[in-house]
Amino acid sequence: MAADSARRLVLLRHAKSAWPPEAVDHDRPLAPRGRRAAPLAGRWLREAGCLPDLVLCSTARRARQTWELAAAQLPGPPPARFDDRIYAAPATGLLTVVRDAAGQAGTLLVVGHHPGLQDLVLTLADPGSGDGSALDRARAKFPTAAVAVLELSTPWPALQPGQARLTSFVTPRDLHAAGLAEPSSSE
């Protein structure tokens, strides 16, 4: 990839998790609603042509499960790296992970947690570019299984605040409304 080529950073918040009393936070699994929403995110990535070259995923169980369910909707899942630094990371920590690991990826997907992902979107997005309504929605609420897509022209190691354009922000509710959800036998 040429240094001036556009890159995409895709941020996927893990899907809705369960709160079993015996589980520590890192080991919480997806709830039934999360198991339905994660494939929606994968279908949206496929339909939007937003296929990652590399995935960086939190080691938390709910994040790994989200990625597995989303990846099953892609034509060929890309390499995935599971990184302890993503779990509970603030925006600055996530930015370091992205700078360190992205390499030559044209599209990088990070599967992580709130509030770090939301704060990273708000840190990187230039408010004067991209989709202003998407930025307003991402600022107001970044629900589970939401996907944000940022475009940038800077090389990954040089990525700085305010250098990206937020081009898409979708939630499971948006995807249901758009008819991307497949009805299940329990609905």
Side-chain angles (χ1 to χ4, degrees), residues 48-120:
C50 202
L51 303 175
D53 301 310
L54 175 64
V55 176
L56 303 176
C57 184
S58 166
T59 56
R61 182 177 178 191
R62 61 194 178 273
R64 291 189 326 260
Q65 289 177 328
T66 297
W67 169 238
E68 289 168 9
L69 292 167
Q73 303 300 312
L74 303 179
R81 297 183 197 158
F82 300 91
D83 193 323
D84 287 327
R85 297 177 298 166
I86 297 171
Y87 176 71
T92 54
L94 292 171
L95 184 54
T96 297
V97 169
V98 167
R99 286 178 184 147
D100 290 350
Q104 294 300 309
T107 299
L108 173 67
L109 171 65
V110 177
V111 183
H113 307 270
H114 188 268
L117 290 182
Q118 180 182 32
D119 292 344
L120 185 59

Side-chain angles (χ1 to χ4, degrees), residues 7 43 69 105 109 136 168 178:
R7 289 166 184 75
R43 279 196 287 283
L69 292 167
L109 171 65
D136 289 342
S168 298

Side-chain angles (χ1 to χ4, degrees), residues 135-170:
L135 186 57
D136 289 342
R137 291 176 58 228
R139 182 179 291 115
K141 185 175 183 182
F142 203 109
T144 55
V147 179
V149 180
L150 296 147
E151 290 186 355
L152 50 133
S153 57
T154 274
W156 295 112
L159 182 57
Q160 297 293 323
Q163 290 184 330
R165 288 182 335 113
L166 180 63
T167 59
S168 298
F169 180 71
V170 296

